[in-house]
Amino acid sequence: EGPAGPEGSAGEAMAAELACSECHNDTTLIAGKETAWSDSLHGTNGSYVRGGSASCAGCHSGGAFSAMVAAGLTPGEVESGDPDPTRQDCRACHAIHVSYTGEDWALETTDPVVLYAFEGVTFDGGTGNLCANCHQPRRQIAEAVDGMVEVTSTHWGPHHGPQSAMLLGLAGAPAGFEGSPSAHATMVEDTCVSCHLGEGDSHTFEADVAACTGCHADAEDFDINGLQTEVQAGLDELEE
């Protein structure tokens, strides 16, 4: 038979079985990641039902997200809703059952993302680019006229998760505003993924302080240099 196994259909079946066992084996490789994901917001949220709408499908349905990426579209260019919307599960982010080997853990895309609410702005954050396809604003805030902003939509404001634009210093900003990128955008390799999955690839997507200590050696919580306290005080003032 030789090292490749028997020839013919029996050999092909054996080769397929060996390939599948790279992932489907007696380890917790799949079960562990799936268990963590099932506790994440991606795994528990009910917003996937919005994937039945064309204007929401690209991000709210995991299946529609995969189709959107494959077609090279932005969320605003998806023309039809998903008749069977799903949560953002393994297949939304990974190339599951394409090669039937460990290569199927490859991300669907890591290409830089043109932010469609900001002309000429591209987010290029390594593997975090996958996240930025949806975690970007859908629209800008109009410029104020005489101190007032006209609200023209029941879905007013950036909408979507604006994290990518926030890292670039643009999220929530009115048209014409020029911000500056955060150090988390310019100095953290793989941006979102580095902080929210960490070295252990935690699929709860909960950021870990341990991921911060590479730069913030003395960090004991996320209120680094009192920044969260400062921001909360500003929010409290704004609310009043």
Side-chain angles (χ1 to χ4, degrees), residues 52-74:
S53 167
S55 62
C56 306
C59 289
H60 281 269
S61 170
F65 175 78
S66 294
M68 176 184 74
V69 169
L73 304 177
T74 70

Side-chain angles (χ1 to χ4, degrees), residues 17 22 26 28 59 74-75 90 92 103-104 108 113 118 137 169 171 181-182 185 192 206 237-238:
E17 182 177 343
E22 287 189 41
D26 61 357
T28 59
C59 289
T74 70
C90 312
E103 293 180 3
D104 279 339
E108 290 254 49
V113 179
F118 298 90
S182 161
C192 322
E206 291 283 346
E237 180 181 355
L238 181 63

Side-chain angles (χ1 to χ4, degrees), residues 79-231:
E79 295 182 347
S80 60
D82 189 340
D84 298 300
T86 64
R87 291 190 171 99
Q88 298 84 0
D89 59 8
C90 312
R91 292 173 184 269
C93 295
H94 298 279
I96 302 298
H97 290 169
V98 173
S99 67
Y100 292 90
T101 69
E103 293 180 3
D104 279 339
W105 295 125
L107 297 180
E108 290 254 49
T109 178
T110 57
D111 293 340
V113 179
V114 176
L115 302 188
Y116 61 95
F118 298 90
E119 185 176 353
V121 176
T122 298
F123 182 88
D124 191 0
T127 53
N129 290 340
L130 173 73
C131 314
N133 279 277
C134 285
H135 289 273
Q136 60 171 302
R138 191 162 188 166
R139 60 184 69 86
Q140 286 184 269
I141 296 174
E143 289 190 67
V145 178
D146 296 329
M148 299 295 290
V149 174
E150 183 180 3
V151 177
T152 58
S153 169
T154 56
H155 291 69
W156 181 82
H159 193 49
H160 284 186
Q163 291 85 352
S164 57
M166 177 191 72
L167 288 175
L168 296 179
L170 298 171
F177 176 83
E178 292 186 11
S180 57
S182 161
H184 295 99
T186 59
M187 298 178 66
V188 177
E189 185 179 3
D190 293 326
T191 53
C192 322
V193 171
S194 294
C195 298
H196 286 274
L197 280 86
E199 293 183 0
D201 290 332
S202 171
H203 277 56
T204 64
F205 306 112
E206 291 283 346
D208 190 337
V209 175
C212 307
T213 56
C215 296
H216 305 280
D218 299 328
E220 296 181 354
D221 54 37
F222 294 120
D223 194 15
I224 296 171
N225 298 326
L227 182 59
Q228 288 188 331
T229 298
E230 180 183 344
V231 170

